[in-house]
Amino acid sequence: MQELKILSIVGTRPEGIKMAPLIRLLEKTAEINSVLCLTAQHREMLDQVLSLFKIQPRYDLNLMKESQSLTHITARALEGLEKIILQEKPQMVLVQGDTTTTMAGSLAAFYHKIPVGHVEAGLRTWDKYAPFPEEINRRINSVIAELHFAPTDISRQNLLREGLPAEKIFVTGNTVIDALKTTVQPGFVFDDPFLREFDFNSSRVLLVEAHRRENLGRPLQEICFALRDLLQAFPDTFLFFPVHKNPAVRSTVYQYLEGHPRARLLEPLDAFSFHNLMARSYLILTDSGGIQEEAPALGRPVLVLRDVTERPEALAAGTALLAGTSRESIVEMASGLLRDSSAYAAMARAANPYGDGMASERIRDIILHYFGRRRSLPEPFSPVSPN
Ligand code: UD1
Ligand code: UDP
């Protein structure tokens, strides 16, 4: 029987991390010819992921430029991807999540009537500007996709509400948990000398990552002020902040936090280091989507630095709180947890609302079933209650 050609399209760090376990599995599957095309909407941060997970792209559109606009990414990705799709003629295109690469990848496939599999489908805030532009990217992907790989039942329900056919929606868990299962190790040794020497028993580590477009400018400034207030109020805390490569993030974060004796600004960490740093942190503050999913699996409380989230599962599991982006609200919520050990303990429970490490396998099997190469569908992901 002829191999199925599956073209995966990846542009940014989170797509790399979340597609890595699936791409590796597709590469090992005899019935599948797996082809990877990068848009390279991100460059260094994506290359870091690919080298870590030992993944080789067949194509690289290399489109990143400094302070790029959404139009630049969309237009260049669409044009570049069309050429690859025409050349490779895949049976299916896979895209992940909600970036502009993902949306352009879906659209490029649609223009050539290639079915799209959407990994991490159905996340919604119902607010078209938060997160911006991701909420609309997700909706475009859902309109186009043939197979919807919803990480949780909530995301499945969102898709049903939009009238999508139930038989094309599959609850798989999120592939980010597949990746996380391979990266966290108790005896992990950090490459970064400062992290390697750091005594994690002597301080309570606050780990921060923030980069969303809607938080650039004033909200990110407020976040930095809040972090300074917390460092001052709690002398036993230490702040680690691996700063995203976006120049608009870097200018604000360096302006307000550089040089603080109990803050260390780092370059973006490779995923192994970042996951192991999460596991050693006391409290995580972030506007990142992926980190909101990973932290509960590690039993680390998260304060979500946004006004709305498309990931309500961790809020429901009691391991995350929506802290907003004002200095006052962040300081108030973080102080509550830093002061009150029982409130902290109630949040610091391992929960896996987002996955069980088997998402890639389910997705691979659903694709094979779709093409008539498997008789049955896998059992859907179903979360177990927190410990
Ligand atoms: C993108 C995604 C966002 C995702 C985030 C993950 C869109 C619109 N946004 O946002 O959904 O949460 O990635 O991190 O798809 N840069 C570098 N090197 C890199 C990466 C970025 O220098 O490796 C700089 C460049 O100047 C680039 C800028 O960061 O122009 C912004 O990158 P871009 O992909 O446009 O937006 P992100 O905010 O990273
Ligand atoms: N991450 C990483 N190094 C860092 C910060 C984050 O590897 O210094 C990982 C994190 O563990 C998660 C992913 O990057 O898997 C999230 O990506 P990002 O925050 O860039 O995007 P988002 O998830 O918000 O779209």
Side-chain angles (χ1 to χ4, degrees):
M1 210 185 272
Q2 227 197 333
E3 281 180 332
L4 292 169
K5 189 182 281 185
I6 308 289
L7 173 67
S8 299
I9 296 173
V10 167
T12 65
R13 170 172 70 188
E15 293 163 74
I17 293 173
K18 290 172 167 179
M19 286 298 280
L22 178 57
I23 289 171
R24 294 197 56 137
L25 186 64
L26 296 180
E27 283 170 353
K28 283 194 277 182
T29 303
E31 298 119 300
I32 289 176
N33 174 4
S34 169
V35 178
L36 172 62
C37 175
L38 307 181
T39 62
Q41 174 182 336
H42 282 178
R43 188 71 274 171
E44 306 89 313
M45 287 166 56
L46 179 60
D47 292 344
Q48 199 177 31
V49 175
L50 299 175
S51 77
L52 194 70
F53 289 97
K54 302 187 172 56
I55 291 173
Q56 293 280 349
R58 195 170 302 170
Y59 300 97
D60 188 340
L61 304 181
N62 196 26
L63 65 74
M64 192 191 85
K65 68 175 193 188
E66 200 181 316
S67 303
Q68 59 206 359
S69 70
L70 298 174
T71 304
H72 161 82
I73 315 166
T74 309
R76 293 278 313 276
L78 261 179
E79 275 186 3
L81 290 170
E82 173 159 76
K83 293 195 185 86
I84 310 300
I85 287 172
L86 286 172
Q87 188 169 325
E88 288 289 340
K89 301 188 177 53
Q91 271 104 328
M92 176 165 274
V93 163
L94 288 182
V95 294
Q96 194 285 334
D98 54 18
T99 68
T100 294
T101 288
T102 310
M103 184 273 291
S106 295
L107 200 54
F110 170 69
Y111 286 159
H112 294 279
K113 299 196 175 148
I114 313 277
V116 171
H118 183 205
V119 179
E120 197 184 87
L123 279 65
R124 296 288 185 274
T125 61
W126 313 106
D127 175 345
K128 71 167 107 163
Y129 293 112
F132 172 81
E134 291 81 359
E135 175 73 5
I136 291 301
N137 287 345
R138 292 174 188 142
R139 296 194 209 174
I140 294 171
N141 290 330
S142 297
V143 171
I144 293 175
E146 171 72 7
L147 300 179
H148 309 265
F149 304 115
T152 68
D153 196 56
I154 291 180
S155 38
R156 176 175 166 273
Q157 296 296 338
N158 289 340
L159 294 170
L160 290 173
R161 271 173 72 179
E162 288 176 4
L164 291 164
E167 67 278 12
K168 297 289 175 70
I169 308 171
F170 305 90
V171 179
T172 59
N174 197 308
T175 54
V176 79
I177 305 299
D178 303 13
L180 195 66
K181 293 227 160 171
T182 66
T183 53
V184 179
Q185 300 148 7
F188 183 81
V189 179
F190 291 96
D191 283 342
D192 181 284
F194 189 89
L195 285 171
R196 198 164 52 230
E197 300 303 322
F198 190 79
D199 179 4
F200 285 90
N201 295 317
S202 70
S203 303
R204 293 191 289 175
V205 166
L206 309 178
L207 175 60
V208 181
E209 210 285 335
H211 66 267
R212 302 228 73 82
R213 271 174 199 260
E214 67 275 11
N215 277 349
L216 298 179
R218 185 72 201 165
L220 189 55
Q221 221 177 68
E222 290 270 308
I223 291 169
C224 293
F225 289 148
L227 295 171
R228 291 193 76 100
D229 292 348
L230 290 168
L231 287 169
Q232 180 158 359
F234 299 94
D236 67 332
T237 55
F238 193 97
L239 174 73
F240 283 112
F241 194 152
V243 189
H244 194 284
K245 285 282 185 195
N246 188 342
V249 174
R250 297 176 83 80
S251 56
T252 304
V253 172
Y254 275 85
Q255 181 179 352
Y256 294 109
L257 292 173
E258 193 178 22
H260 191 289
R262 282 185 290 111
R264 186 86 182 175
L265 304 182
L266 302 162
E267 286 305 304
L269 292 170
D270 69 73
F272 283 14
S273 298
F274 189 75
H275 292 172
N276 283 283
L277 182 54
M278 285 175 83
R280 287 160 182 72
S281 297
Y282 191 78
L283 183 61
I284 296 167
L285 300 98
T286 192
D287 65 10
S288 155
I291 298 169
Q292 286 179 65
E293 294 154 345
E294 293 162 343
L298 298 170
R300 302 291 92 188
V302 198
L303 294 186
V304 181
L305 304 174
R306 302 193 196 178
D307 298 321
V308 285
T309 179
E310 61 289 317
R311 293 169 167 91
E313 294 85 352
L315 304 180
T319 63
L321 288 171
L322 211 48
T325 52
S326 81
R327 179 178 186 168
E328 291 73 26
S329 65
I330 298 166
V331 170
E332 191 188 321
M333 267 193 202
S335 302
L337 292 174
L338 288 163
R339 254 188 222 114
D340 179 350
S341 57
S342 56
Y344 178 85
M347 276 187 84
R349 294 166 303 140
N352 266 326
Y354 297 107
D356 57 2
M358 303 297 289
S360 304
E361 216 162 292
R362 289 191 187 95
I363 292 169
R364 190 264 320 259
D365 291 347
I366 294 162
I367 294 170
L368 289 170
H369 179 267
Y370 176 78
F371 286 105
R373 310 282 177 105
R374 286 283 186 279
R375 278 176 199 277
S376 57
L377 285 164
E379 285 296 311
F381 162 64
S382 158
V384 287
S385 311
N387 303 333

